[in-house]
Amino acid sequence: MRDTLIQIAYLLAAFLFLVALRALGKPDTARRGMQLAAFGMAVGIAATLLNARIVSYEWILIGSVIGAVAGYPLGKWVPMTAMPQRIALSHALGALAATVVGVGEYCNGLSAGELGRGHVVALGFEVLLGGLTVTGSLMAFGKLQEILPGRPLTFLGQNAFNLTILAIGVASLVWLVILPIGGADMPVVVSLLNSYAGLAAVATGFAIDNNILIIVGALDGLSGFILSVAMSKAMNRSFSNVLFGAFGSAAVVEAAGPSTAGGEMMSITAEDAALRMAYAEKVVVVPGYGLAVAQAQHQARELADLIEKRGGDVRFAIHPVAGRMPGHMNVLLAEAGVPYVKLVDMEDINEKFAETDVVLVVGANDVVNPAAKTNPKSPIYGMPILRVAEARSVIALKRGRGAGFSGVENDLFVDPKTSMLFGDAKQSLITLGLEVKNA
Ligand code: NAP
């Protein structure tokens, strides 16, 4: 009876996870999706606590208290820009749990003399993938948090060395895969590791005969994999290029050659930039990683509101890999209260640039770099971009002449129709807002 009840609860939890995943696919239902997923998790945990194999609840209680004390501040106060490393850390802990369960199950089975061959294979797979995910996620965390160097770590004869290491032992695999990857490619790696963690959970599920772990692990494994593929696709880069291409390294950037456009960047004063926007009919804001760094989403919305009050029409152009994780810009702008209808996907907004008076680029670089279309040697060649250069005029906010994530120069910034407003994006947007009010 108790077992049947547990299985029914697991089925309910699995159903809730599926509905939650679906809801998470759209910004306006994402919050409800998270609530459903949390409820599903609570149902799954409650059902597991009814398991007859639990001999004492004390350690579970202690673990739950420690988890809650550590998890609450993590969820509440970690800023959006630090989200990729927070996720990497969570994966490391989740995978550590799977690994420890695998080792524990093996020891239990050994002392009870109940270790079948299939059981050992499942446990071995679980510990292997779990261990890989723990180490890999910690490396990813180190790079994103800049404890380890963010640039790709490369050296002469690296591939030959890597192959030797691969032959020596699976333990070295993590180093082989993770070390040569640039810090900003880490989101792809993190979601790939997410996929491994899911597979480790599936293996755990088979090893300890737990249906919910098998279902959830499969969902996690597949969604992590699909996300990694989607990110690579949006950057027009193959998986092997992300894992072995050392994107952003000096050698790759050098091979791209200098900017082909020539010319100098022209700067503009906040007053002139504001005048241009105040009298524009159609304005498109292109947010990028710099907006996230500056935490300037609220100021961007306020400026858009001011322009709209004067009769202008303002849209936000969303590139699928702007920022450092999928949906990065959507989340930030939604948090600032920008209505969803104002967020326009790349495919749709690209048709509109030709009739746009002013494009305001806020800390975006690679996602608006025309070299993706014009320079076949560029590391970003072939990546779909926002065709900002087609607009009547462009104002770009950035702190200086720093390159984007790919490390290559951006021809858009030396285009005669582009004016640069240098400074931190938040401060520049505040000044622009004040000037638009006075215009
Ligand atoms: P980006 O190419 O990384 O460029 C960001 C720009 O923001 C920099 O040029 C920087 O110039 C400027 N900036 C930084 N801090 C700023 C501040 N406080 N105020 C104003 N400007 C600031 O950004 P992106 O155009 O969003 O492109 C994203 C890149 O990340 C793409 O290459 C994409 O492939 C990659 N990526 C994305 C994901 C994802 O899922 N979203 C995953 C992996 C990789 P200054 O230093 O001169 O200010």
Side-chain angles (χ1 to χ4, degrees):
M1 177 65 191
R2 187 203 296 233
D3 265 1
T4 320
L5 215 68
I6 293 177
Q7 294 309 322
I8 292 174
Y10 281 169
L11 206 64
L12 174 67
F15 174 74
L16 286 167
F17 290 142
L18 281 173
V19 180
L21 268 181
R22 201 176 158 70
L24 282 168
K26 285 203 202 108
D28 47 348
T29 52
R31 198 178 287 261
R32 190 159 51 85
M34 273 316 295
Q35 286 158 353
L36 284 171
F39 181 56
M41 188 55 91
V43 171
I45 292 174
T48 308
L49 291 176
L50 292 177
N51 196 313
R53 283 177 68 194
I54 295 178
V55 279
S56 127
Y57 283 93
E58 286 133 44
W59 284 105
I60 296 178
L61 191 71
I62 293 173
S64 311
V65 171
I66 296 176
V69 168
Y72 187 79
L74 270 181
K76 201 86 188 144
W77 293 308
V78 170
M80 273 306 295
T81 40
M83 219 25 93
Q85 50 266 52
R86 200 207 71 85
I87 294 169
L89 202 58
S90 303
H91 283 163
L93 293 173
L96 185 65
T99 313
V100 172
V101 168
V103 174
E105 271 296 302
Y106 180 79
C107 296
N108 272 347
L110 204 62
S111 53
E114 290 170 356
L115 276 180
R117 197 176 284 171
H119 201 181
V120 172
V121 169
L123 285 177
F125 195 54
E126 172 193 343
V127 173
L128 180 72
L129 286 173
L132 179 87
T133 310
V134 174
T135 329
S137 301
L138 286 177
M139 288 292 162
F141 170 78
K143 285 204 167 196
L144 289 164
Q145 194 61 32
E146 293 173 7
I147 298 168
L148 291 172
R151 71 191 146 74
L153 298 181
T154 55
F155 50 85
L156 197 69
Q158 185 173 30
N159 288 343
F161 179 75
N162 282 347
L163 282 173
T164 319
I165 297 243
L166 182 64
I168 292 172
V170 179
S172 307
L173 190 68
V174 175
W175 289 81
L176 172 78
V177 174
I178 299 299
L179 276 184
I181 303 173
D185 267 344
M186 280 300 141
V188 184
V189 179
V190 170
S191 68
L192 196 63
L193 289 167
N194 181 20
S195 171
Y196 293 161
L199 292 180
V202 172
T204 316
F206 279 120
I208 63 172
D209 197 17
N210 184 311
N211 289 343
I212 193 73
L213 268 180
I214 298 174
I215 298 172
V216 173
L219 286 177
D220 195 18
L222 198 64
S223 56
F225 186 70
I226 292 173
L227 192 58
S228 308
V229 173
M231 278 197 256
S232 305
K233 211 170 145 198
M235 294 191 277
N236 193 37
R237 295 174 52 209
S238 67
F239 245 32
S240 59
N241 180 273
V242 170
L243 297 179
F244 306 113
F247 199 66
S249 67
V252 173
V253 173
E254 212 172 283
S259 168
T260 45
E264 280 291 308
M265 290 187 191
M266 278 181 316
S267 60
I268 188 172
T269 62
E271 199 182 350
D272 287 345
L275 268 180
R276 219 189 276 174
M277 282 188 288
Y279 291 98
E281 271 176 35
K282 291 193 173 165
V283 176
V284 172
V285 179
V286 176
Y289 178 61
L291 174 123
V293 175
Q295 285 290 293
Q297 61 272 26
H298 290 277
Q299 288 67 27
R301 200 220 59 223
E302 280 156 22
L303 180 64
D305 287 350
L306 285 168
I307 298 171
E308 295 220 310
K309 249 192 210 155
R310 300 179 56 98
D313 174 73
V314 186
R315 307 274 142 149
F316 288 80
I318 306 296
H319 189 285
V321 291
R324 288 294 182 267
M325 58 185 173
H328 205 166
M329 298 300 121
N330 303 62
V331 172
L332 287 176
L333 295 172
E335 179 209 313
V338 176
Y340 298 127
V341 287
K342 294 270 171 203
L343 308 181
V344 189
D345 285 339
M346 180 173 66
E347 294 77 27
D348 299 324
I349 200 84
N350 266 344
E351 306 302 317
K352 306 266 186 276
F353 280 120
E355 59 199 52
T356 300
D357 300 308
V358 185
V359 172
L360 182 68
V361 176
V362 185
N365 194 334
D366 289 347
V367 298
V368 294
N369 192 342
K373 291 211 167 308
T374 55
N375 181 2
K377 285 197 213 142
S378 171
I380 58 168
Y381 184 70
M383 169 171 141
I385 52 155
L386 290 162
R387 300 199 305 260
V388 169
E390 290 175 13
R392 291 189 190 113
S393 75
V394 179
I395 298 168
L397 310 188
K398 69 202 292 284
R399 294 164 308 177
R401 284 150 204 277
F405 155 63
S406 68
V408 292
E409 287 182 38
N410 194 333
D411 296 348
L412 177 75
F413 299 146
V414 291
D415 189 307
K417 66 167 81 156
T418 303
S419 313
M420 309 294 296
L421 182 56
F422 291 114
D424 176 72
K426 191 184 217 161
Q427 197 47 53
S428 298
L429 286 169
I430 293 173
T431 319
L432 283 174
L434 290 173
E435 294 290 346
V436 167
K437 259 190 208 161
N438 296 334

Coordinates of all heavy atoms in Angstrom, one line a residue, residues 88-103 121-139 170-171 173-174 178 190 192-205 220:
A88 N 26.3 26.5 -11.9 CA 27.4 25.6 -12.0 C 27.6 25.0 -10.6 O 27.8 23.8 -10.4 CB 28.7 26.3 -12.5
L89 N 27.6 25.8 -9.6 CA 27.8 25.4 -8.2 C 26.7 24.4 -7.8 O 26.9 23.4 -7.2 CB 27.8 26.6 -7.2 CG 28.5 26.4 -5.9 CD1 30.0 26.0 -6.1 CD2 28.5 27.7 -5.1
S90 N 25.4 24.7 -8.1 CA 24.3 23.8 -7.8 C 24.5 22.5 -8.5 O 24.2 21.4 -7.8 CB 23.0 24.4 -8.3 OG 22.8 25.7 -7.7
H91 N 24.9 22.5 -9.7 CA 25.2 21.2 -10.4 C 26.2 20.4 -9.7 O 26.1 19.2 -9.6 CB 25.6 21.5 -11.9 CG 24.5 21.9 -12.8 ND1 24.8 22.5 -14.0 CD2 23.2 21.8 -12.6 CE1 23.6 22.7 -14.5 NE2 22.7 22.3 -13.7
A92 N 27.3 21.1 -9.3 CA 28.4 20.4 -8.6 C 27.8 19.7 -7.4 O 28.1 18.5 -7.1 CB 29.5 21.3 -8.2
L93 N 27.0 20.4 -6.6 CA 26.4 19.8 -5.4 C 25.5 18.7 -5.7 O 25.5 17.6 -5.0 CB 25.7 20.9 -4.5 CG 26.7 22.0 -4.0 CD1 25.9 23.1 -3.3 CD2 27.6 21.3 -3.0
G94 N 24.6 18.9 -6.7 CA 23.6 17.8 -7.1 C 24.4 16.6 -7.5 O 24.0 15.4 -7.1
A95 N 25.4 16.8 -8.3 CA 26.2 15.6 -8.8 C 26.9 15.0 -7.7 O 27.1 13.7 -7.7 CB 27.1 16.1 -9.9
L96 N 27.4 15.8 -6.7 CA 28.1 15.2 -5.6 C 27.2 14.2 -4.8 O 27.5 13.1 -4.4 CB 28.6 16.3 -4.7 CG 29.4 15.9 -3.5 CD1 30.8 15.3 -4.0 CD2 29.7 17.0 -2.6
A97 N 25.9 14.7 -4.7 CA 24.9 13.9 -4.0 C 24.7 12.5 -4.8 O 24.8 11.5 -4.2 CB 23.6 14.6 -3.9
A98 N 24.6 12.6 -6.1 CA 24.4 11.4 -6.9 C 25.6 10.5 -6.8 O 25.5 9.3 -6.6 CB 24.2 11.7 -8.4
T99 N 26.8 11.1 -6.8 CA 28.1 10.3 -6.6 C 28.1 9.6 -5.3 O 28.4 8.4 -5.2 CB 29.3 11.2 -6.8 OG1 29.1 12.0 -7.9 CG2 30.6 10.4 -7.0
V100 N 27.8 10.3 -4.2 CA 27.9 9.8 -2.9 C 26.8 8.7 -2.7 O 27.1 7.6 -2.1 CB 27.7 10.9 -1.8 CG1 27.6 10.4 -0.4 CG2 28.9 11.9 -1.9
V101 N 25.6 8.9 -3.3 CA 24.6 7.8 -3.2 C 25.1 6.6 -3.9 O 25.0 5.4 -3.4 CB 23.3 8.3 -3.9 CG1 22.3 7.1 -4.1 CG2 22.6 9.4 -3.0
G102 N 25.8 6.8 -5.1 CA 26.3 5.6 -5.8 C 27.3 4.8 -5.0 O 27.3 3.6 -4.9
V103 N 28.3 5.6 -4.4 CA 29.3 4.9 -3.5 C 28.6 4.2 -2.4 O 28.9 3.0 -2.1 CB 30.3 6.0 -3.1 CG1 31.3 5.3 -2.1 CG2 31.1 6.6 -4.2
V121 N 27.0 -2.0 -13.1 CA 27.2 -1.1 -14.3 C 26.5 0.2 -14.0 O 27.0 1.3 -14.3 CB 26.6 -1.8 -15.5 CG1 26.5 -0.9 -16.7 CG2 27.5 -3.0 -15.9
A122 N 25.2 0.1 -13.5 CA 24.4 1.4 -13.3 C 25.1 2.2 -12.3 O 25.3 3.5 -12.5 CB 23.0 1.0 -12.8
L123 N 25.7 1.6 -11.2 CA 26.3 2.4 -10.2 C 27.6 3.0 -10.7 O 28.0 4.2 -10.5 CB 26.7 1.5 -9.0 CG 25.5 1.2 -8.1 CD1 25.9 0.2 -7.0 CD2 24.9 2.4 -7.5
G124 N 28.4 2.2 -11.5 CA 29.6 2.7 -12.1 C 29.4 3.9 -13.0 O 30.1 4.9 -12.9
F125 N 28.3 3.8 -13.8 CA 28.0 4.9 -14.7 C 27.6 6.1 -13.9 O 28.0 7.3 -14.2 CB 26.8 4.4 -15.6 CG 26.5 5.2 -16.8 CD1 27.5 5.5 -17.7 CD2 25.2 5.7 -17.0 CE1 27.2 6.3 -18.8 CE2 25.0 6.5 -18.1 CZ 26.0 6.8 -19.0
E126 N 26.8 5.9 -12.9 CA 26.4 7.0 -12.0 C 27.6 7.7 -11.4 O 27.7 9.0 -11.4 CB 25.5 6.4 -10.9 CG 25.1 7.4 -9.9 CD 24.5 6.8 -8.7 OE1 24.0 5.6 -8.8 OE2 24.4 7.4 -7.6
V127 N 28.5 7.0 -10.8 CA 29.6 7.6 -10.1 C 30.5 8.3 -11.1 O 31.0 9.4 -10.9 CB 30.4 6.5 -9.3 CG1 31.7 7.1 -8.7 CG2 29.5 6.0 -8.2
L128 N 30.7 7.6 -12.3 CA 31.6 8.2 -13.4 C 31.0 9.6 -13.8 O 31.7 10.6 -13.8 CB 31.6 7.3 -14.5 CG 32.5 7.7 -15.7 CD1 33.9 7.6 -15.3 CD2 32.2 6.8 -16.9
L129 N 29.7 9.6 -14.2 CA 29.1 10.8 -14.7 C 29.0 11.8 -13.6 O 29.2 13.0 -13.8 CB 27.7 10.5 -15.3 CG 27.7 9.9 -16.6 CD1 26.3 9.5 -17.1 CD2 28.4 10.8 -17.7
G130 N 28.7 11.3 -12.4 CA 28.5 12.2 -11.2 C 29.9 12.9 -10.9 O 29.9 14.1 -10.8
G131 N 30.9 12.1 -10.9 CA 32.3 12.7 -10.6 C 32.7 13.7 -11.7 O 33.2 14.8 -11.4
L132 N 32.4 13.3 -13.0 CA 32.7 14.2 -14.1 C 32.0 15.6 -13.9 O 32.6 16.6 -14.1 CB 32.3 13.5 -15.4 CG 32.5 14.3 -16.7 CD1 33.9 14.1 -17.2 CD2 31.4 14.0 -17.7
T133 N 30.7 15.5 -13.5 CA 29.9 16.7 -13.4 C 30.4 17.5 -12.2 O 30.5 18.8 -12.3 CB 28.5 16.3 -13.2 OG1 28.1 15.4 -14.2 CG2 27.6 17.6 -13.3
V134 N 30.8 16.9 -11.1 CA 31.3 17.6 -9.9 C 32.5 18.4 -10.3 O 32.6 19.7 -10.2 CB 31.7 16.7 -8.7 CG1 32.3 17.5 -7.6 CG2 30.4 15.9 -8.2
T135 N 33.5 17.7 -10.9 CA 34.8 18.4 -11.2 C 34.6 19.5 -12.3 O 35.0 20.6 -12.2 CB 35.9 17.4 -11.7 OG1 35.6 16.2 -11.0 CG2 37.2 17.9 -11.4
G136 N 33.8 19.1 -13.3 CA 33.6 20.0 -14.5 C 32.9 21.2 -14.0 O 33.2 22.3 -14.4
S137 N 31.8 21.0 -13.2 CA 31.0 22.2 -12.7 C 31.9 23.1 -11.8 O 31.7 24.3 -11.9 CB 29.8 21.7 -12.0 OG 29.0 20.9 -12.8
L138 N 32.7 22.5 -11.0 CA 33.6 23.3 -10.2 C 34.6 24.1 -11.0 O 34.8 25.3 -10.7 CB 34.3 22.5 -9.1 CG 33.5 22.0 -8.0 CD1 34.3 21.1 -7.1 CD2 32.9 23.1 -7.2
M139 N 35.1 23.5 -12.1 CA 36.0 24.2 -13.0 C 35.2 25.4 -13.6 O 35.7 26.5 -13.8 CB 36.5 23.3 -14.1 CG 37.5 22.3 -13.6 SD 39.0 23.1 -13.2 CE 39.7 21.8 -12.2
V170 N 40.0 8.0 -17.3 CA 38.7 8.8 -17.5 C 38.7 9.9 -16.5 O 38.1 11.0 -16.8 CB 37.5 7.9 -17.2 CG1 36.2 8.6 -17.4 CG2 37.5 6.7 -18.2
A171 N 39.4 9.8 -15.4 CA 39.5 10.9 -14.4 C 40.0 12.1 -15.0 O 39.6 13.2 -14.7 CB 40.3 10.4 -13.2
L173 N 39.5 13.2 -18.0 CA 38.6 13.6 -19.0 C 38.1 15.0 -18.7 O 38.0 15.9 -19.6 CB 37.4 12.7 -19.2 CG 36.5 12.9 -20.3 CD1 37.3 12.6 -21.6 CD2 35.3 12.0 -20.2
V174 N 37.8 15.3 -17.4 CA 37.2 16.5 -17.1 C 38.2 17.7 -17.4 O 37.8 18.7 -18.0 CB 36.9 16.5 -15.5 CG1 36.5 17.9 -15.1 CG2 35.9 15.5 -15.2
I178 N 37.4 20.6 -20.0 CA 37.1 21.9 -19.5 C 38.2 23.0 -19.6 O 37.9 24.1 -19.9 CB 36.7 21.8 -18.0 CG1 35.5 20.9 -17.8 CG2 36.5 23.1 -17.3 CD1 34.3 21.4 -18.4
V190 N 28.1 24.4 -19.0 CA 27.3 24.1 -17.8 C 26.1 23.4 -18.1 O 25.7 22.4 -17.5 CB 27.0 25.5 -17.1 CG1 25.9 25.3 -16.0 CG2 28.2 26.1 -16.4
L192 N 25.7 21.4 -20.7 CA 26.1 20.1 -21.1 C 26.3 19.2 -19.8 O 25.9 18.1 -19.7 CB 27.4 20.1 -21.9 CG 27.8 18.9 -22.7 CD1 26.7 18.6 -23.7 CD2 29.1 19.1 -23.4
L193 N 27.0 19.9 -18.8 CA 27.2 19.1 -17.6 C 25.8 18.9 -16.9 O 25.7 17.8 -16.2 CB 28.1 20.0 -16.6 CG 29.5 20.0 -17.1 CD1 30.3 21.1 -16.3 CD2 30.2 18.7 -16.9
N194 N 24.9 19.8 -17.0 CA 23.6 19.6 -16.5 C 23.0 18.3 -17.1 O 22.4 17.5 -16.4 CB 22.7 20.8 -17.0 CG 21.3 20.7 -16.5 OD1 21.0 20.0 -15.6 ND2 20.4 21.5 -17.1
S195 N 23.3 18.1 -18.4 CA 22.8 16.9 -19.1 C 23.4 15.7 -18.5 O 22.8 14.7 -18.3 CB 23.1 17.1 -20.6 OG 22.9 16.0 -21.3
Y196 N 24.8 15.7 -18.2 CA 25.4 14.6 -17.6 C 24.8 14.3 -16.2 O 24.7 13.2 -15.8 CB 26.9 14.9 -17.4 CG 27.7 15.0 -18.6 CD1 29.0 15.6 -18.6 CD2 27.3 14.5 -19.8 CE1 29.7 15.8 -19.8 CE2 28.0 14.6 -21.0 CZ 29.2 15.2 -20.9 OH 30.0 15.4 -22.1
A197 N 24.6 15.4 -15.4 CA 24.0 15.2 -14.1 C 22.7 14.5 -14.2 O 22.3 13.6 -13.4 CB 23.8 16.6 -13.4
G198 N 21.9 14.8 -15.3 CA 20.6 14.2 -15.5 C 20.8 12.7 -15.8 O 20.1 11.8 -15.2
L199 N 21.8 12.4 -16.6 CA 22.1 10.9 -16.9 C 22.6 10.2 -15.6 O 22.2 9.1 -15.4 CB 23.2 10.8 -17.9 CG 22.8 11.3 -19.3 CD1 24.0 11.1 -20.3 CD2 21.6 10.5 -19.8
A200 N 23.4 10.9 -14.8 CA 23.8 10.3 -13.5 C 22.6 10.0 -12.6 O 22.5 9.0 -12.0 CB 24.8 11.3 -12.8
A201 N 21.6 10.9 -12.7 CA 20.4 10.7 -11.9 C 19.6 9.5 -12.4 O 19.1 8.7 -11.7 CB 19.5 12.0 -11.9
V202 N 19.6 9.4 -13.8 CA 18.9 8.2 -14.4 C 19.5 6.9 -13.9 O 18.9 6.0 -13.4 CB 18.9 8.3 -15.9 CG1 18.4 7.0 -16.5 CG2 18.1 9.4 -16.4
A203 N 20.9 6.9 -13.9 CA 21.6 5.7 -13.5 C 21.3 5.4 -12.0 O 21.1 4.3 -11.6 CB 23.1 5.9 -13.7
T204 N 21.3 6.5 -11.2 CA 21.0 6.3 -9.8 C 19.6 5.7 -9.6 O 19.4 4.8 -8.8 CB 21.0 7.7 -9.0 OG1 22.1 8.4 -9.4 CG2 21.0 7.5 -7.5
G205 N 18.7 6.2 -10.5 CA 17.3 5.7 -10.4 C 17.2 4.2 -10.7 O 16.5 3.5 -10.0
D220 N 16.0 16.2 -17.3 CA 17.1 17.0 -17.0 C 18.2 16.8 -18.1 O 18.7 17.8 -18.7 CB 17.7 16.7 -15.6 CG 18.6 17.8 -15.1 OD1 18.6 18.9 -15.7 OD2 19.4 17.5 -14.2

